[in-house]
């Protein structure tokens, strides 16, 4: 058959539409020779970025190629960025950034005080909302690294009224009072921070089927490897590196018993520095989870249905005398004192802890105080090596994962330093573990 639309000279002359079409193709073809080449895969437009704005677990909301474009800009030589971090009325970390001369970042005493709107954090009324931030501790900022020899910084702060009084949520001031005048004790704290990673729906832990539960019970997930066992390792490893870069005394990490649950350890730290470092580590953890678009909770029992472990902040304690020969007797005296004030400690050991301290899943009952050697079902555990050596440390297993480390460490310090006589408590034996 004959193709009547063939572009012959005769058809072009008799068909104005075809004539116009060929003219446009000619123009577009020549213009294409002068057009810029197609963007490389790393060149991102705002239209491509827009599709990332929908929350998706494990994927950054903004394209990293765009972010890196601005992160590559150099900082002024004489200026640093200081991220002031504080704890709000709910025990969560807040922060904001300011520019400072580089010389002021050398020591915490050189940093200026700052303020924030306490009515927006539950820490002040609207008609008198200014809360003062007092710098307490400096760390390197792992989220804004530099290559010019200077460091941007994270600044752990506590909160005061303009008149200089600690506000009610300033638990650091309470702990400072407990540690005051006791520097000779050189009290070490090692804090084991457990946490649980969820998808962004905040209902499905990593590694769990949506709307369901794992097909296997607890057992294979603790300190595990493999895609069927370990969930969230990349998040924990990133947090680990960031904490090391910041200068925190983070001493290890491991996967925990419940799938999606992880742990890291901070310490040993001396005195109130344990609280500063643990709070800053929580801030870094949340920032890392923000980057990964993974939800992190410190709730002590995020899954209440089924046979799943809760999450704690086991607190290891050792004074100078406990680390010397004969220290085991000092450790037991401290444990007896803790037992005498069990209810006082439980009251400040975290919200929702009654869901976790049931006497099951490696916990003691919230209503009873017990201790034992190598017994993870006791309130207080003495390590087997401490018993064998006759000195060392003890572990308070009662604090929940969302417990305030300032309150926990301060309360333990004030209790074990009291000069009081208390009843002796019999240790659990292995059959009671």
């Amino acid at each position: 058959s004959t193709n009547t639309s063939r572009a012959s000279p005769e058809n072009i002359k008799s068909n104005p539409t075809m004539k116009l079409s060929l003219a446009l193709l000619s123009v577009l073809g020549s213009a294409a020779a002068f057009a810029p080449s197609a963007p490389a895969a790393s060149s991102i437009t705002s239209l491509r970025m827009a599709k990332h704005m929908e929350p998706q677990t494990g994927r950054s909301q903004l394209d990293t190629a765009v972010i890196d474009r601005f992160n590559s800009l150099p900082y002024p030589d004489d200026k640093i960025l200081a991220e002031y971090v504080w704890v709000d009325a709910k025990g969560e970390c807040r922060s904001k950034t300011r520019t400072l001369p580089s010389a002021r970042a050398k020591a915490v005493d050189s940093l200026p005080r700052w303020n924030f709107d306490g009515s927006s954090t539950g820490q002040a009324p609207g008609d008198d909302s200014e809360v003062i931030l007092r710098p307490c501790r400096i760390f390197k900022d792992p989220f804004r690294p530099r290559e010019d020899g200077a460091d941007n910084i994270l600044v752990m702060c506590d909160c005061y009224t303009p008149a200089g009084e600690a506000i009610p949520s300033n638990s650091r001031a309470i702990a400072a009072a407990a540690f005051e005048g006791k520097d000779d004790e050189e009290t070490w704290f090692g804090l084991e921070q457990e946490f649980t990673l969820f998808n962004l729906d905040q209902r499905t832990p990593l590694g769990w089927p949506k709307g369901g539960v794992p097909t296997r019970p607890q057992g294979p997930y603790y300190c595990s490897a493999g895609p069927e066992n370990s969930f969230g390792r990349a998040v924990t490893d990133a947090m680990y590196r960031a904490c090391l870069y910041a200068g925190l005394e983070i001493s290890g990490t491991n996967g925990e018993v419940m799938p999606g649950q992880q742990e890291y350890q901070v310490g040993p730290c001396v005195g109130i520095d344990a609280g500063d470092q643990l709070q800053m580590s929580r801030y870094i953890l949340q920032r890392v989870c923000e980057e990964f678009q993974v939800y992190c909770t410190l709730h002590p029992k995020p899954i209440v249905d089924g046979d799943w472990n809760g999450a704690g902040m086991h607190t290891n304690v050792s004074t100078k005398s406990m680390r010397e020969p004969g220290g085991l007797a000092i450790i037991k005296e401290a444990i007896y004192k803790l037992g005498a004030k069990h209810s006082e400690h439980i009251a400040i050991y975290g919200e929702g802890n009654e869901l976790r301290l049931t006497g099951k899943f490696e916990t003691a009952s919230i209503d009873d105080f017990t201790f034992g050697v190598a017994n993870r079902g006791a309130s207080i555990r003495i390590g087997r090596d401490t018993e064998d050596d006759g000195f060392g440390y003890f572990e308070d297993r009662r604090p929940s994962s969302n417990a305030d480390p300032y309150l926990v460490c301060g309360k333990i310090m004030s209790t074990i330093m009291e000069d009081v006589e208390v009843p002796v408590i019999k240790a659990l034996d292995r059959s009671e573990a």
Side-chain angles (χ1 to χ4, degrees):
S1 59
T2 303
N3 186 353
T4 58
S5 63
R6 186 176 178 181
S8 64
E10 293 78 9
N11 285 341
I12 293 173
K13 290 179 181 179
S14 62
N15 191 333
T17 301
M18 185 175 289
K19 186 175 182 179
L20 177 60
S21 298
L22 289 173
L24 287 172
L25 286 172
S26 176
V27 171
L28 291 174
S30 60
F34 297 95
S37 59
S42 62
S43 178
I44 308 300
T45 68
S46 59
L47 289 177
R48 285 184 63 190
M49 279 176 51
K51 67 181 181 180
H52 295 305
M53 294 304 291
E54 296 181 3
Q56 183 178 348
T57 300
R59 186 174 187 176
S60 176
Q61 283 187 304
L62 298 176
D63 198 289
T64 54
V66 174
I67 298 171
D68 289 344
R69 186 184 307 165
F70 296 99
N71 283 345
S72 64
L73 296 175
Y75 292 98
D77 293 338
D78 60 341
K79 292 181 174 61
I80 60 100
L81 301 185
E83 190 79 14
Y84 279 47
V85 181
W86 72 95
V87 182
D88 69 12
K90 293 184 178 181
E92 298 176 353
C93 289
R94 308 277 187 126
S95 72
K96 61 178 186 173
T97 315
R98 69 182 301 174
T99 306
L100 292 174
S102 299
R104 301 200 70 170
K106 303 300 182 183
V108 69
D109 292 340
S110 300
L111 296 173
R113 297 190 178 195
W114 206 9
N115 64 76
F116 66 92
D117 172 18
S119 68
S120 296
T121 62
Q123 293 171 286
D127 60 354
D128 188 15
S129 64
E130 189 169 290
V131 177
I132 307 302
L133 291 170
R134 183 183 71 105
C136 300
R137 184 74 154 78
I138 294 176
F139 302 93
K140 288 173 63 176
D141 188 343
F143 305 105
R144 296 178 176 128
R146 300 173 62 147
E147 298 179 355
D148 59 356
D151 292 313
N152 294 317
I153 59 175
L154 303 176
V155 185
M156 196 68 227
C157 304
D158 60 355
C159 302
Y160 293 83
T161 68
E165 298 177 354
I167 65 173
S169 62
N170 185 351
S171 56
R172 190 185 190 279
I174 298 172
F179 286 107
E180 187 175 4
K182 299 180 177 66
D183 291 346
D184 291 345
E185 296 294 336
E186 297 178 14
T187 306
W188 293 359
F189 291 93
L191 306 176
E192 304 173 25
Q193 178 67 71
E194 295 177 336
F195 58 96
T196 310
L197 299 174
F198 279 71
N199 287 268
L200 288 181
D201 62 9
Q202 301 184 22
R203 297 179 180 178
T204 310
L206 294 192
W208 291 50
K210 190 170 184 178
V213 297
T215 57
R216 297 175 300 159
Q218 294 188 153
Y221 312 107
Y222 173 69
C223 295
S224 64
E228 75 282 13
N229 296 322
S230 180
F231 312 105
R233 185 192 301 274
V235 176
T236 305
D237 281 356
M239 181 276 307
Y240 198 170
R241 288 281 295 271
C243 286
L244 287 172
Y245 180 92
L248 289 165
E249 294 295 334
I250 184 169
S251 49
T253 68
N254 60 268
E256 264 302 331
V257 177
M258 188 184 85
Q261 189 183 82
Q262 299 279 326
E263 177 188 304
Y264 64 90
Q265 303 89 37
V266 171
C269 302
V270 178
I272 200 169
D273 191 44
D276 289 338
Q277 295 211 31
L278 199 281
Q279 286 289 16
M280 186 57 76
S281 75
R282 287 179 175 178
Y283 173 76
I284 291 174
L285 172 62
Q286 291 292 354
R287 286 287 302 274
V288 168
C289 288
E290 175 186 328
E291 296 285 345
F292 278 90
Q293 287 292 282
V294 172
Y295 174 70
C296 175
T297 180
L298 300 183
H299 193 283
K301 194 70 172 179
I303 303 296
V304 295
D305 297 326
D307 296 331
W308 305 104
N309 272 32
M313 189 188 73
H314 304 151
T315 302
N316 301 276
V317 185
S318 179
T319 63
K320 183 178 180 181
S321 59
M322 293 177 185
R323 297 188 294 273
E324 295 174 345
L328 184 58
I330 307 298
I331 289 172
K332 289 183 177 180
E333 289 177 9
I335 291 173
Y336 304 154
K337 293 176 184 178
L338 291 168
K341 291 195 169 185
H342 175 61
S343 60
E344 291 184 21
H345 282 257
I346 289 296
I348 57 96
Y349 271 11
E351 184 177 351
N353 212 13
E354 71 281 357
L355 300 172
R356 168 180 162 261
L357 295 181
T358 62
K360 301 178 180 179
F361 310 116
E362 302 182 27
T363 71
S365 169
I366 196 170
D367 298 317
D368 302 318
F369 180 87
T370 56
F371 85 96
V373 175
N375 190 335
R376 285 177 164 78
S379 306
I380 305 287
R381 179 182 69 90
I382 296 175
R384 184 69 65 192
D385 54 349
T386 294
E387 182 188 48
D388 292 343
D389 294 339
F391 56 87
Y393 70 98
F394 68 87
E395 176 192 42
D396 190 339
R397 298 180 57 80
R398 297 171 295 171
S400 71
S401 48
N402 62 4
D404 184 327
Y406 293 124
L407 292 180
V408 170
C409 295
K411 184 64 175 176
I412 291 175
M413 188 68 181
S414 64
T415 296
I416 66 176
M417 289 293 111
E418 285 187 337
D419 185 13
V420 293
E421 292 187 7
V422 293
V424 172
I425 301 172
K426 182 179 181 295
L428 296 176
D429 58 32
R430 291 187 181 184
S431 65
E432 298 172 290

